[in-house]
Amino acid sequence: MSTSAHPSADAIRTAGTVTDRLVEANERYAADFTDPGMDARPVLRVAVVACMDARLDLHAALGLELGDCHTIRNAGGVVTDDVIRSLTISQRALGTRSVMLVHHTNCGLESLTEDFRHELEDEVGQRPAWAVEAFRDVDQDVRQSMQRVRTSPFLLHSDDVRGFVFDVTSGLLREIDPAESAPVDPA
């Protein structure tokens, strides 16, 4: 998606809600839409798990086309129970064999803590059932996510699981070695 497509704040306010604008864009899209004749099985047999950050244009960054992969996104690109659920369906029902994990630099989860859940509980009177999954070291979090995929009993294919950090300023991926560990503090 091109950043030049972004309307000004005034245009959004005068044209209705952002959702109205998106629905209108869909109507223009559908007017020229032709069914590509695909099914839900990704051509490349890969599932990509990534952060939901709006700066990541995964298809462009990875050279992917419509139908190439399953894309699973959440805050941080963290492998949670719901990601395992989606990967299990992706593998067992829809034929994927590879998993690519994409975290990124300057992630918002690096500035949060689990206190976020407690603050929510104070505000609304109920603690969320989910963990924030905040982290301080993006490389180590990628390693943890790779380990969660590799050790899940529900996944059939855990031999081709690779993790990366996307640099939001250069657009480059940096692969994370799953065997490396965080440096030990000698103190």
Side-chain angles (χ1 to χ4, degrees):
M1 185 164 121
S2 170
T3 55
S4 63
H6 292 285
S8 69
D10 289 334
I12 290 173
R13 280 193 291 270
T14 60
T17 68
V18 172
T19 303
D20 291 336
R21 185 175 61 83
L22 298 176
V23 170
E24 290 169 9
N26 173 258
E27 290 168 358
R28 290 188 298 278
Y29 170 80
D32 295 325
F33 183 77
T34 303
D35 180 357
M38 300 176 184
D39 67 13
R41 290 176 181 82
V43 173
L44 299 179
R45 297 170 56 157
V46 62
V48 179
V49 178
C51 185
M52 66 186 192
D53 192 294
R55 296 172 290 181
L56 276 66
D57 184 349
L58 286 175
H59 277 75
L62 302 176
L64 295 167
E65 299 292 330
L66 181 67
D68 281 349
C69 71
H70 284 159
T71 305
I72 304 161
R73 295 181 79 157
N74 67 18
V78 177
V79 175
T80 60
D81 287 344
D82 194 57
V83 168
I84 293 294
R85 171 189 161 272
S86 294
L87 288 172
T88 301
I89 293 167
S90 178
Q91 287 189 358
R92 291 180 176 265
L94 298 166
T96 60
R97 298 291 179 263
S98 301
V99 177
M100 182 177 190
L101 305 170
V102 181
H103 287 42
H104 66 92
T105 57
N106 301 318
C107 184
L109 283 186
E110 291 174 298
S111 64
L112 290 177
T113 67
E114 289 300 317
D115 288 340
F116 183 78
R117 291 176 67 229
H118 301 292
E119 292 164 6
L120 282 172
E121 180 181 15
D122 291 344
E123 180 182 329
V124 302
Q126 179 179 345
R127 183 181 298 168
W130 39 265
V132 174
E133 297 278 354
F135 55 87
R136 296 280 179 242
D137 180 337
V138 68
D139 291 17
Q140 189 57 34
D141 199 62
V142 171
R143 285 186 197 92
Q144 177 177 294
S145 290
M146 285 190 281
Q147 185 66 18
R148 287 179 177 175
V149 172
R150 288 189 171 125
T151 60
S152 173
F154 305 110
L155 299 174
L156 295 171
H157 307 284
S158 59
D159 55 325
D160 188 12
V161 178
R162 294 172 63 187
F164 300 84
V165 174
F166 177 86
D167 186 311
V168 298
T169 59
S170 72
L172 290 173
L173 289 174
R174 179 174 50 84
E175 187 158 10
I176 301 302
D177 183 345
E180 288 184 25
S181 61
V184 177
D185 186 359

